[in-house]
Amino acid sequence: MGTRARVAPVFLAMTLVGGLTAAAVAPAHAGATAERAVAPAAAPSYYLKFDKNTVTNSKLYLMKSVAGPDKVIASYKAGSGTSTNTCAVAKGWLPNGDYKIEFHRKNFDGIINGYVIKISDKKCHSGTKRTALFIHSEMKPNGKQGSIESEKWTNSNPNDYYSNGCIKLNPSNIKNLFGKVDAVGWSKLTKLKVVS
């Protein structure tokens, strides 16, 4: 058998294998494209927005990220600090910016109690670091009202919307907020955004 006679079957075999490979790849590629086309949309995300007005009369919003303006799911009267100086440790309201949600509890037992959302530390414009920051109320660790001032909510004398630099809600509002976030899932609550 001559050289040309031996090369022809080899060439034919390579052509057939190449064609089979191309045929095998084409449907997989087409399937991947179709899969991408019908991939589900990302799950919606939520965040908290604190809009500062006065230290005892500001707003905390539960927001849903959507196309266009984000949607307000709920809004609550809230306070922050005893001063508008964002650098005053344990007195000033929160500096503007984004904060991480570090954890949430319904039975926290500490200087503050009960329903709490812990937010990350933040530096103010001068570089002073604000720490031990929470969204909380005044209640006992079990969420009920107590007899001492720090565990019993009053709207006046003293005005319990004052805080040591945290964000404060009345007990029924923080419980309502927890219920709403429980329903959508805490893993979808991405941050706290503070604005003025």
Side-chain angles (χ1 to χ4, degrees):
M1 186 182 285
T3 303
R4 286 175 69 181
R6 284 197 302 271
V7 170
V10 171
F11 179 74
L12 179 61
M14 289 175 64
T15 303
L16 286 172
V17 170
L20 289 173
T21 304
V25 169
H29 178 71
T33 304
E35 207 172 276
R36 278 196 300 271
V38 296
S45 65
Y46 298 80
Y47 63 95
L48 298 172
K49 182 173 82 170
F50 183 59
D51 193 355
K52 297 184 289 190
N53 182 31
T54 71
V55 293
T56 60
N57 189 14
S58 295
K59 288 284 187 181
L60 181 70
Y61 299 94
L62 174 60
M63 305 291 296
K64 180 179 181 181
S65 296
V66 295
D70 289 342
K71 182 179 179 183
V72 175
I73 303 301
S75 83
Y76 308 97
K77 180 180 176 181
S80 180
T82 57
S83 160
T84 59
N85 179 357
T86 60
C87 296
V89 174
K91 292 181 182 177
W93 64 8
L94 294 179
N96 287 3
D98 290 353
Y99 297 72
K100 293 179 185 173
I101 305 291
E102 295 187 344
F103 65 80
H104 66 281
R105 300 280 186 277
K106 292 182 180 177
N107 58 354
F108 195 74
D109 191 356
I111 296 172
I112 57 172
N113 296 318
Y115 286 62
V116 303
I117 300 171
K118 174 69 175 76
I119 57 176
S120 58
D121 298 344
K122 189 79 166 174
K123 288 182 180 177
C124 72
H125 62 274
S126 72
T128 300
K129 191 174 186 181
R130 301 289 305 279
T131 62
L133 304 176
F134 290 85
I135 299 169
H136 69 97
S137 187
E138 290 194 354
M139 59 182 66
K140 294 166 69 174
N142 65 7
K144 295 181 179 178
Q145 289 291 283
S147 56
I148 62 173
E149 201 288 314
S150 63
E151 295 180 346
K152 183 179 180 182
W153 185 267
T154 55
N155 285 323
S156 60
N157 198 27
N159 185 330
D160 281 336
Y161 282 103
Y162 284 115
S163 75
N164 292 334
C166 295
I167 295 175
K168 219 164 172 195
L169 303 175
N170 75 36
S172 60
N173 282 350
I174 198 165
K175 289 178 180 180
N176 182 275
L177 172 62
F178 266 68
K180 291 190 182 306
V181 182
D182 283 345
V184 300
W186 284 89
S187 63
K188 295 177 185 173
L189 189 67
T190 57
K191 65 184 176 183
L192 165 71
K193 184 178 184 69
V194 177
V195 299
S196 57

